[in-house]
């Protein structure tokens, strides 16, 4: 009842002042507290950061493909980091580090969750805005400042952080270890602390909004799977990100105040350090306690968006809605007890390794449930291949192909020979990187009309999909074979070891595939930014969807709905229901208006509604009911 009362008072509070806010440029576009504008800010910042990370990856791919060649243009842009036109080995490690950090945290966490949680939670639940619009604004600006500091680390004399995106000590804990351990590492730590503050503010807000601000009739089992995914993602983030803060604080103590949490028995440049008694393995435990839930913080929103897009464009109800929700809950719980599989080769007790192996293999079960349900939803559907639908299907493809290799890496015996090879790089770039990017892109193409009131160009969308889909497989699939052959990741050149020289030609192939895929992103960037101003104007419900956001006006207004917030009567997946004159029934349509298509389970045990339905069917000579009454 509290939900209903809350929704009711919420609509009255704002009633009558929609569209009458006289805002300055700063309060409307910069320090906005409107969830729709904040979603756009997260998305555009995420796209810019993705372009930066992509350029970094092209730089280190050029080094891997042509390790002995000189490219004078590199010296023009990179200065001392590419003297003589060849990338410096330490700068190579910095490129890998910042590429990974930006993609995992700034694009796939903030860009994905920040955009779609902000856009869809109030819209799909029937709320005027977030529980705390001010906290929402703070969340974005913490993220923005974190981005600026991370990029600023390229402009300090000692260069950006160079300890890999996992910043393992001692490289990250001893400032004089390598040039990238100095100021750049400090900036990395400050940036990530601000980023985590952003995520905690955002997550608290998302959880509060979902629990307290659903409209009348919107119980948990009527929520779209997008909201379930974003809600559970926020819970995972809120419980796991603070652990990384603790790891970072201890790392700052080791770096600056002479403590020894992670350091022991070290010699740096011939000098014995005084640190004793610390353990770098402690850092790995703290890091991966966030690091593995982080994989699902990245994946679950993409799975939620994909569920909505596949159901809408198959014109079929999502297969196994309850199973989909329980599998998300299962992933949420299990994600906290699998982190040890990143550490099988640290000298871990084999019994503990066995425990982590079992939990890792168990988490494959809810993931498989989701895959089967996607395939069953697509099966015999009346599929519309919009660009969003193609990216959603592409996401499922990467989720399968990348997920299967996780079964090998999750086996503690097999992992001994595969750990830290290109097999790992191939695995997580498919299952986490590509799958989540495709989920994010499917969301951008699908909800672009809601964000900007215009449609994106379909032909450019198709071009973007095929270049990205084929490019991603050509880049990451060959890496599996390199990994099986024992080629280690993060190496600067493969010319030092005779057994690796045969892979030089594969590296050249992979680099050209990466360059073509990167050029393919220009189609998206042009399509995205030109459509904001010159795309075809969108109608209110361009995809024939059932969820609440498509009942709001195309033009954005404060409070989302001009009058009362609509009441919800049904679940969000009534597509192609037999007996109904259209192939979709929005959540706001009461059962009294769809008597010819109502089914017994629709009423959820409401005896009064069932009686009215039975009387209507008898009055209208429904043969099915007559048979039942006989």
């Amino acid at each position: 009842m509290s939900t209903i009362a809350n929704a009711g008072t919420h609509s009255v509070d704002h009633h009558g002042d929609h569209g009458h806010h006289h805002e300055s440029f700063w309060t409307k576009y910069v320090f906005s507290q409107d969830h729709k504008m904040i979603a756009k800010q997260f998305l555009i910042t995420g796209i810019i950061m993705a372009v930066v990370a992509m350029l970094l990856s092209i730089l280190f791919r050029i080094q891997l493909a042509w390790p002995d060649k000189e490219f004078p243009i590199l010296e023009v842009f990179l200065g001392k980091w590419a003297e003589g036109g060849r990338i410096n080995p330490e700068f190579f490690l910095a490129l890998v580090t910042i590429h990974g950090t930006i993609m995992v945290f700034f694009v796939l966490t903030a860009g994905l969750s920040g955009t779609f949680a902000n856009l869809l939670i109030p819209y799909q639940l029937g709320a005027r805005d977030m529980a705390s619009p001010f906290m929402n604004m703070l969340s974005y600006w913490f993220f923005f400042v974190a981005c600026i500091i991370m990029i600023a680390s390229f402009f300090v004399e000692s260069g950006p952080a160079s300890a890999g995106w996992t910043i393992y000590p001692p490289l990250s804990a001893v400032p004089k270890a390598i040039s990238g351990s100095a100021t750049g590492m400090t900036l990395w730590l400050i940036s990530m602390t601000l980023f985590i503050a952003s995520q905690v503010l955002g997550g608290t807000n998302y959880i509060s909004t979902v629990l307290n601000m659903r409209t009348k009739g919107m119980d948990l089992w009527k929520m779209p799977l997008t909201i379930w995914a974003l809600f559970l993602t926020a819970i995972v983030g809120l419980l796991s990100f603070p652990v990384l803060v603790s790891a970072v604080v201890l790392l700052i103590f080791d770096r600056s105040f002479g403590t020894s949490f992670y350091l022991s028995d070290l010699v740096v440049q011939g000098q014995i350090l005084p640190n004793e008694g610390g353990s770098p393995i402690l850092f790995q435990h703290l890091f991966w306690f966030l690091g593995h839930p982080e994989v699902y913080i990245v994946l679950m929103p993409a799975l939620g968006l994909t569920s909505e897009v596949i159901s809408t464009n198959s014109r079929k109800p999502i297969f196994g809605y309850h199973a989909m929700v329980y599998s998300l809950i299962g992933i949420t719980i299990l994600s906290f007890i699998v982190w040890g599989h990143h550490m099988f080769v640290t000298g871990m007790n084999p019994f503990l390794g066995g425990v982590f192996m079992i939990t890792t293999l168990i988490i494959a079960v809810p993931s498989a449930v989701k895959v089967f349900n996607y395939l069953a939803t697509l099966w015999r559907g009346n599929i519309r291949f919009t660009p969003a639908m193609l990216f959603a299907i592409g996401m499922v493809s990467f989720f399968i192909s990348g997920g299967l290799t996780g079964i090998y890496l999750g086996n503690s015996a097999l992992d001994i020979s595969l750990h830290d090879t290109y097999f790992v790089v191939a695995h997580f770039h498919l299952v986490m990187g590509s799958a989540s990017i495709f989920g994010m892109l499917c969301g951008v193409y699908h909800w672009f009309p809601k964000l900007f009131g215009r449609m994106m160009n379909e032909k450019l969308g198709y071009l973007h999909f095929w270049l990205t889909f084929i490019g991603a497989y050509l880049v990451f699939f060959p890496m599996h074979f390199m990994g099986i052959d024992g080629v280690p990741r993060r190496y600067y050149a493969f010319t030092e070891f005779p057994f690796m020289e045969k892979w030089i030609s594969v590296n050249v192939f992979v680099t050209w595939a990466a360059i073509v895929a990167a050029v393919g992103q220009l189609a998206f960037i042009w399509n995205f930014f030109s459509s904001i101003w010159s795309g075809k104007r969108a109608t209110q419900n361009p995809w024939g969807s059932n969820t609440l956001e498509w009942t709001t006006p195309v033009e954005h207004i404060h409070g989302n709905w001009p009058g009362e917030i609509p009441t919800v009567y049904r679940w969000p997946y009534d597509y192609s229901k037999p007996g109904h004159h259209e192939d979709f029934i929005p959540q706001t349509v009461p059962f009294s208006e769809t008597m010819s298509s109502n089914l017994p389970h629709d009423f959820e045990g409401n005896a009064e509604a069932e009686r009215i339905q039975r009387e209507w069917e008898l009055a209208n000579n429904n043969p099915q009911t007559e048979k039942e009454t006989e």
Side-chain angles (χ1 to χ4, degrees):
M1 280 306 290
S2 60
T3 331
I4 296 169
N6 195 333
T9 53
H10 208 51
S11 64
V12 174
D13 289 345
H14 292 259
H15 195 61
D17 69 341
H18 312 307
H20 300 301
H21 286 245
H22 297 295
E23 294 179 301
S24 69
F25 171 83
W26 291 98
T27 54
K28 185 170 183 186
Y29 294 106
V30 184
F31 299 108
S32 174
Q33 295 187 25
D34 186 333
H35 73 100
K36 302 178 285 295
M37 184 56 69
I38 294 171
K40 293 180 197 180
Q41 290 175 324
F42 268 109
L43 179 59
I44 290 169
T45 311
I47 288 172
I48 292 166
M49 293 302 282
V51 170
V52 171
M54 190 173 69
L55 291 173
L56 301 183
S57 69
I58 297 300
L59 287 174
F60 64 70
R61 281 295 346 155
I62 287 170
Q63 162 60 32
L64 290 169
W66 301 287
D68 297 324
K69 268 197 183 162
E70 293 176 355
F71 298 92
I73 192 166
L74 290 180
E75 189 171 11
V76 174
F77 285 106
L78 302 176
K80 67 171 184 176
W81 300 115
E83 280 178 358
R86 289 182 66 187
I87 288 174
N88 172 318
E90 289 189 352
F91 190 65
F92 174 85
L93 194 49
L95 290 173
V96 174
T97 301
I98 305 297
H99 164 78
T101 305
I102 289 177
M103 287 307 294
V104 172
F105 295 112
F106 291 43
V107 178
L108 291 174
T109 304
L112 182 52
S113 280
T115 301
F116 291 103
N118 273 303
L119 179 72
L120 296 179
I121 288 177
Y123 261 155
Q124 293 195 337
L125 292 181
R128 295 289 184 198
D129 207 303
M130 282 289 178
S132 171
F134 179 73
M135 256 168 76
N136 215 14
M137 177 191 79
L138 277 185
S139 168
Y140 171 71
W141 284 103
F142 270 115
F143 165 57
F144 182 79
V145 174
C147 291
I148 298 297
I149 292 172
M150 189 64 72
I151 289 175
S153 68
F154 276 97
F155 301 97
V156 296
E157 192 180 349
S158 55
S162 306
W165 78 275
T166 56
I167 58 156
Y168 283 178
L171 273 186
S172 60
V174 181
K176 55 190 176 186
I178 54 173
S179 62
S181 301
T183 316
M185 191 68 235
T186 305
L187 290 173
W188 192 100
L189 295 169
I190 294 167
S191 171
M192 282 306 299
T193 306
L194 291 170
F195 172 80
I196 292 167
S198 157
Q199 290 304 300
V200 170
L201 283 167
T204 310
N205 220 352
Y206 306 152
I207 293 166
S208 306
T209 310
V210 171
L211 291 178
N212 296 316
M213 298 181 65
R214 303 189 302 277
T215 187
K216 186 178 177 183
M218 176 69 79
D219 61 41
L220 292 176
W221 293 113
K222 291 195 180 77
M223 296 199 312
L225 289 169
T226 35
I227 302 297
W228 272 108
L230 292 162
F231 172 56
L232 293 166
T233 300
I235 292 171
V236 176
L238 210 56
L239 294 174
S240 61
F241 270 118
V243 178
L244 184 59
V245 176
S246 67
V248 164
V249 168
L250 299 185
L251 193 53
I252 290 169
F253 271 61
D254 274 14
R255 287 172 61 80
S256 307
F257 303 117
T259 57
S260 302
F261 291 108
Y262 306 133
L263 300 174
S264 187
D265 310 317
L266 282 175
V267 179
V268 176
Q269 294 160 3
Q271 181 188 352
I272 299 172
L273 297 188
N275 305 81
E276 276 186 35
S279 166
I281 304 298
L282 168 63
F283 178 86
Q284 291 193 28
H285 278 293
L286 292 173
F287 181 89
W288 287 114
F289 190 83
L290 158 86
H292 202 81
E294 170 64 20
V295 172
Y296 295 101
I297 290 170
V298 163
L299 258 174
M300 287 204 297
L303 292 166
L305 298 173
T306 302
S307 304
E308 185 65 34
V309 171
I310 284 181
S311 179
T312 302
N313 288 303
S314 299
R315 312 313 288 163
K316 273 181 67 182
I318 193 81
F319 185 89
Y321 172 84
H322 287 80
M324 291 292 248
V325 173
Y326 288 127
S327 67
L328 283 171
I329 294 170
I331 287 170
T332 300
I333 295 165
L334 288 166
S335 70
F336 286 103
I337 51 172
V338 295
W339 81 90
H341 65 220
H342 296 271
M343 301 170 59
F344 284 144
V345 294
T346 58
M348 178 187 282
N349 181 323
F351 174 76
L352 192 58
V355 172
F356 279 122
M357 182 175 89
I358 290 164
T359 56
T360 301
L361 296 178
I362 289 171
I363 206 169
V365 175
S367 306
V369 167
K370 298 199 79 61
V371 167
F372 286 125
N373 286 0
Y374 288 137
L375 298 178
T377 305
L378 289 165
W379 177 250
R380 302 188 72 181
N382 184 15
I383 298 174
R384 301 183 304 200
F385 289 105
T386 63
M389 184 63 161
L390 289 175
F391 277 101
I393 295 170
M395 189 272 177
V396 177
S397 164
F398 286 121
F399 193 51
I400 296 169
S401 55
L404 287 173
T405 53
I407 296 170
Y408 301 99
L409 291 170
N411 184 309
S412 52
L414 289 173
D415 184 66
I416 291 167
S417 56
L418 294 174
H419 186 82
D420 256 347
T421 67
Y422 267 85
F423 194 88
V424 178
V425 179
H427 159 71
F428 77 78
H429 276 85
L430 286 176
V431 78
M432 184 170 97
S434 302
S436 301
I437 283 285
F438 270 59
M440 183 172 172
L441 289 168
C442 106
V444 171
Y445 279 99
H446 190 77
W447 278 282
F448 190 88
K450 200 73 261 168
L451 276 164
F452 298 103
R454 293 181 182 269
M455 307 294 284
M456 288 178 83
N457 182 308
E458 273 204 343
K459 287 193 172 65
L460 281 175
Y462 294 136
L463 175 69
H464 176 219
F465 170 76
W466 287 111
L467 283 174
T468 312
F469 184 72
I470 294 167
Y473 268 124
L474 292 181
V475 168
F476 300 120
F477 211 78
M479 292 182 185
H480 291 105
F481 306 106
M482 293 169 68
I484 291 168
D485 194 41
V487 178
R489 62 196 281 204
R490 293 186 180 149
Y491 272 35
Y492 168 72
F494 296 131
T495 47
E496 307 295 316
F497 305 91
F499 91 94
M500 292 186 203
E501 284 179 0
K502 61 177 174 289
W503 295 106
I504 291 282
S505 56
V506 173
N507 267 310
V508 172
F509 172 78
V510 164
T511 298
W512 277 115
I515 290 168
V516 172
V519 170
Q521 304 318 300
L522 293 174
F524 170 71
I525 290 164
W526 168 256
N527 193 359
F528 182 87
F529 287 104
S530 67
S531 298
I532 291 174
W533 285 282
S534 57
K536 193 176 86 179
R537 288 199 178 276
T539 55
Q540 188 179 21
N541 188 359
W543 315 119
S545 285
N546 291 340
T547 42
L548 287 180
E549 75 270 32
W550 305 105
T551 64
T552 60
V554 178
E555 296 296 324
H556 289 173
I557 59 168
H558 272 278
N560 298 338
W561 287 268
E564 288 289 319
I565 300 177
T567 301
V568 166
Y569 297 96
R570 57 179 73 236
W571 77 321
Y573 300 108
D574 269 342
Y575 292 107
S576 302
K577 212 169 180 192
H580 193 65
H581 59 282
E582 281 186 292
D583 67 353
F584 70 104
I585 311 173
Q587 285 188 280
T588 53
V589 176
F591 287 113
S592 58
E593 291 178 24
T594 57
M595 302 297 269
S596 59
S597 63
N598 292 345
L599 297 168
H601 65 257
D602 288 337
F603 303 112
E604 299 172 336
N606 183 333
E608 178 65 11
E610 286 177 9
R611 183 185 61 75
I612 294 167
Q613 178 72 23
R614 204 173 296 112
E615 285 173 3
W616 181 89
E617 287 172 354
L618 287 169
N620 287 271
N621 296 326
N622 186 317
Q624 181 66 32
T625 312
E626 285 173 13
K627 238 179 257 170
E628 284 171 13
T629 50
E630 282 166 17

